[in-house]
């Protein structure tokens, strides 16, 4: 469909990689519906925010942004809230931000084309007695909030990927784990997987288009359950997650396959065996532990013990290639004592992570832990976070140092002109920037060997091996 010059949209994404990729699909859908993407709110007829509500701070950012743009409403722009805040707050968004016309959770994106038509041609919704000033209130209100129990993923052939070399493929949506602190099962809905056949078809199509790196995505990517043969229209051979990984890694033209995020409970040894057997599977696993204390893990309903988690780490440590391991950790969960926290610190030492994303516990709507008293003061959470980050930084300084003098293949991601360096990424997902003589300047998207010469706590610097 050709773009209608009057139908323009601006989309801004908050939050995780799942949201980033959902936005690529939403953008593709809008382009197919005849919209044109613009880079500023000023130019846009339709302004969309794809939102995140994982912690209170991320959610507040969204509402601040919505308030920022209240002024544009007078120019006849339409506003839409997509993603996790949309699903979590639902129609309450219309009360907090009355100029919003569209509220849509991620499980309803399949219905976006119809919603866009409604938005364009929409009937006026019957006014409510407490309606705010007419000029501030959108006359049209379209919602997509009722699909969290769906069996289907949002599959589209129109995904507008932002990078021509590496791209995401969603293999599983939603989450059935219900960790006691987490809002995701409520915002993204029930766990549902795509058929391996459809995932592989997308991987082959990407390879044909010149993509060389694929990242398989899911809230719990390794909880993947191939629905092949389960229902009419779901044909093909069933594959386990490890088999699917291997099959994507064997697609001709694909040089790197990553997957995120893995849940320790469903992390089988067969994943490590697949990494051993298929060289294109990257030697990096993000395996969030959340806490090193069994008592806290139990209260978080994480469904594994410290010992079981460490067993999975041991599998990875016995792999043929060194697998880089990264994690997420929450500090200050209700009831976390100094001893519990000390166990998290000791786990950092025991595992030796290459990166840790750490967060202060934030009570979230609907979650089971909301009923627990959030008794640890923010100051104490901040103190624990600081200690944890300082400890992890020391660990990383030591870990990154040992790469000095080694040669790794990097994918060239770009150029930092100010530093006269190329930006590279290793299979282990480490940033390895490098210098190269002008006559040997590499192309973005290619793979080149780089020798590391300097280490930092979060990255390496090196030189192109000629
Ligand atoms: N408070 C703090 N951190 C949280 N996370 C998820 N929910 C919360 C919460 N309520 C963190 C977890 C998860 C990461 C994506 O965000 O560490 O792995
Ligand atoms: Fe949230 Fe737990 Fe599901 Fe991850 S596994 S999305 S932390 S409920």
């Amino acid at each position: 469909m050709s773009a209608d010059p009057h139908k323009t949209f601006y989309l801004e994404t908050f939050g995780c990689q799942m949201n980033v990729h959902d936005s690529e699909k939403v953008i593709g859908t809008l382009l197919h519906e005849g919209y044109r993407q613009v880079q500023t709110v000023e130019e846009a007829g339709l302004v969309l925010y794809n939102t995140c509500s994982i912690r209170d701070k991320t959610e507040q950012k969204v509402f601040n942004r919505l308030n920022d743009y209240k002024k544009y409403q007078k120019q006849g722009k339409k506003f839409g809230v997509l993603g996790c805040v949309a699903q979590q707050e639902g129609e309450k968004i219309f009360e907090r931000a009355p100029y919003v016309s569209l509220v849509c959770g991620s499980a309803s994106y399949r219905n976006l084309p119809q919603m866009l038509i409604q938005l364009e041609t929409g009937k006026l919704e019957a006014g409510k007695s407490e309606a705010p000033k007419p000029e501030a209130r959108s006359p049209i209100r379209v919602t997509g909030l009722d699909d969290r129990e769906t069996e289907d993923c949002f599959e589209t052939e129109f995904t507008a990927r932002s990078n021509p070399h590496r791209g995401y493929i969603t293999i599983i949506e939603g989450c059935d784990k219900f960790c006691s602190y987490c809002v995701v099962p409520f915002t993204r809905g029930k766990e549902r997987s795509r058929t391996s056949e459809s995932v592989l078809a997308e991987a082959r199509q990407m390879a044909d288009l010149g993509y060389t790196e694929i990242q398989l995505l899911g809230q719990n990517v390794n909880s993947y359950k191939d629905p092949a043969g389960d229902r009419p229209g779901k044909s093909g051979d069933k594959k386990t997650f490890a088999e699917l990984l291997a099959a994507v890694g064997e697609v001709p033209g694909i040089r790197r396959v990553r997957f995120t995020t893995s849940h320790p409970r469903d992390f089988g040894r067969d994943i490590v065996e697949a990494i051993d057997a298929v060289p294109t599977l990257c030697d990096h696993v993000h395996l969030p532990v959340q806490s090193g204390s069994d008592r806290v893990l139990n209260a978080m309903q994480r469904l594994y013990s410290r010992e079981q988690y460490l067993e999975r780490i041991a599998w990875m440590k016995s792999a043929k290639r060194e697998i880089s391991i990264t994690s997420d950790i929450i500090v200050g969960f209700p009831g976390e004592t100094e001893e519990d926290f000390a166990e998290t610190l000791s786990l950092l030492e025991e595992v030796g992570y290459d990166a840790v994303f750490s967060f202060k516990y934030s009570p979230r709507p609907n979650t089971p832990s909301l009923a627990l008293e959030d008794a640890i003061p923010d100051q104490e959470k901040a103190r624990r976070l600081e200690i944890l980050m300082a400890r992890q930084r020391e660990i990383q300084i030591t870990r990154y140092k040992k790469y000095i003098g080694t040669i790794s293949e990097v994918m060239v991601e770009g150029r930092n002109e100010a530093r006269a360096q190329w930006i590279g990424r290793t299979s282990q997902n480490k940033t390895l920037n490098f210098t190269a003589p002008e006559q040997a300047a590499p192309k973005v998207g290619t793979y080149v060997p780089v020798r590391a010469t300097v280490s930092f706590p979060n990255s390496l610097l090196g030189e192109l091996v000629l």
Side-chain angles (χ1 to χ4, degrees):
M1 208 176 279
S2 63
D4 174 341
H6 303 297
K7 293 198 329 192
T8 48
F9 74 97
Y10 166 86
L11 187 145
E12 187 171 335
T13 308
F14 298 81
C16 65
Q17 288 148 312
M18 294 285 285
N19 266 14
V20 170
H21 185 45
D22 281 348
S23 287
E24 293 180 333
K25 295 192 237 179
V26 168
I27 291 170
T29 304
L30 280 148
L31 295 175
H32 182 72
E33 295 300 315
Y35 284 77
R36 183 166 59 87
Q37 187 176 15
V38 294
Q39 299 309 318
T40 62
V41 175
E42 283 80 1
E43 296 165 82
L46 175 62
V47 179
L48 298 171
Y49 297 110
N50 187 5
T51 63
C52 169
S53 65
I54 194 91
R55 286 169 292 277
D56 185 53
K57 248 191 177 159
T58 56
E59 183 181 332
Q60 288 322 315
K61 223 160 116 187
V62 172
F63 281 108
N64 289 341
R65 180 59 51 91
L66 275 170
N67 282 334
D68 269 3
Y69 289 109
K70 220 188 258 181
K71 53 189 182 226
Y72 294 113
Q73 201 270 342
K74 290 210 179 76
Q75 300 168 11
K77 293 187 195 305
K78 292 195 178 97
F79 288 83
V81 183
L82 310 178
C84 292
V85 177
Q87 188 68 60
Q88 180 189 297
E89 296 299 304
E91 303 205 0
K92 280 191 270 172
I93 293 191
F94 294 132
E95 282 153 40
R96 281 183 78 170
Y99 46 91
V100 166
S101 315
L102 169 72
V103 172
C104 178
S106 63
S108 301
Y109 291 161
R110 285 169 297 121
N111 306 327
L112 266 175
Q114 294 96 291
M115 288 188 222
L116 291 167
I117 294 171
Q118 267 179 282
L119 207 58
E120 293 299 329
T121 61
K123 318 181 266 314
L124 299 192
E125 196 210 47
K128 291 182 186 156
S129 54
E130 77 280 20
K133 286 187 230 86
E135 80 275 8
R137 187 185 191 282
S138 165
I140 307 156
R141 291 184 169 177
V142 179
T143 55
L145 297 165
D146 303 326
D147 297 301
R148 282 178 293 180
E149 292 298 308
T150 177
E151 299 277 346
D152 293 316
C153 293
F154 177 34
E155 296 193 33
T156 166
E157 53 187 306
F158 305 121
T159 307
R161 291 194 165 83
S162 54
N163 183 303
H165 310 291
R166 57 189 155 87
Y168 297 122
I169 299 183
T170 308
I171 67 164
I172 174 170
E173 291 181 359
C175 177
D176 286 345
K177 288 285 190 290
F178 292 92
C179 299
S180 64
Y181 52 82
C182 186
V183 82
V184 167
F186 305 94
T187 59
R188 287 194 166 269
K190 204 170 103 171
E191 206 164 89
R192 54 214 182 260
S193 299
R194 288 174 63 185
T195 62
S196 52
E197 199 175 62
S198 138
V199 171
L200 282 165
E202 192 170 350
R204 287 189 205 105
Q205 198 184 30
M206 287 173 67
D208 287 345
L209 290 169
Y211 287 86
T212 57
E213 180 175 320
I214 286 179
Q215 184 157 347
L216 301 181
L217 285 184
Q219 215 68 49
N220 288 313
V221 75
N222 59 325
S223 310
Y224 175 79
K225 275 178 215 73
D226 192 349
D230 285 355
R231 295 200 309 278
K234 307 265 171 194
S235 61
D237 291 333
K238 261 193 199 311
K239 288 200 187 324
T240 63
F241 172 66
E243 287 166 351
L244 177 61
L245 258 186
V248 175
E250 278 156 5
V251 169
I254 296 304
R255 296 185 59 159
R256 284 185 176 177
V257 180
R258 306 185 182 281
F259 54 99
T260 196
T261 289
S262 297
H263 192 289
R265 163 83 172 214
D266 299 329
F267 192 89
R269 201 170 194 157
D270 55 350
I271 299 174
V272 182
E273 287 162 359
I275 296 175
D276 271 345
V278 184
T280 50
L281 301 187
C282 288
D283 34 7
H284 167 229
V285 172
H286 185 61
L287 196 66
V289 66
Q290 312 298 359
S291 168
S293 149
D294 275 337
R295 228 176 49 80
V296 176
L297 286 174
N298 204 24
M300 287 178 165
Q301 296 168 28
R302 284 291 287 178
L303 311 173
Y304 55 82
S305 63
R306 175 185 174 112
E307 193 188 334
Q308 286 168 324
Y309 181 84
L310 287 171
E311 189 185 15
R312 279 136 186 83
I313 299 294
W315 295 339
M316 288 193 262
K317 289 195 173 166
S318 63
K320 289 186 199 146
R321 283 179 282 167
E322 184 201 37
I323 297 180
S324 170
I325 307 165
T326 56
S327 194
D328 293 345
I329 288 175
I330 297 176
V331 299
F333 186 79
E336 183 189 71
T337 62
E338 264 308 320
E339 291 72 44
D340 293 322
F341 178 59
E343 290 198 45
T344 298
L345 293 178
S346 79
L347 187 89
L348 292 187
E349 308 284 345
E350 215 166 325
V351 177
Y353 292 113
D354 280 334
V356 167
F357 303 91
S358 44
F359 311 99
K360 293 189 278 185
Y361 168 71
S362 164
R364 303 312 294 134
N366 305 316
T367 59
S369 69
L370 193 62
L372 306 171
E373 195 195 347
D374 181 23
I376 302 176
D378 189 63
Q379 220 180 356
E380 175 59 18
K381 287 181 190 164
R383 187 187 71 89
R384 290 183 193 178
L385 190 69
E386 212 172 292
I387 294 173
L388 184 117
M389 283 164 52
R391 189 65 214 101
Q392 180 56 27
R393 192 182 149 87
E394 293 304 317
I395 291 171
Q396 281 176 220
I397 288 174
T398 312
R399 290 191 60 79
Y400 275 68
K401 228 181 230 162
K402 66 175 202 244
Y403 292 98
I404 294 179
T406 65
I407 295 175
S408 311
E409 183 181 66
V410 304
M411 184 204 236
V412 185
E413 292 191 339
R415 168 101 181 143
N416 182 335
E417 282 303 343
R419 294 195 168 156
Q421 287 169 9
W422 295 94
I423 302 164
R425 186 163 300 274
T426 68
S427 167
Q428 286 199 335
N429 207 30
K430 292 188 171 72
T431 299
L432 170 49
N433 298 329
F434 62 100
T435 54
E438 219 168 291
Q439 68 278 15
K443 275 209 185 92
V444 171
T446 60
Y447 295 81
V448 296
V450 174
R451 180 182 293 105
T453 51
V454 187
S455 74
F456 303 100
N458 273 310
S459 67
L460 296 158
L461 178 62
E463 55 203 15
L464 180 71
V465 178
L466 293 167

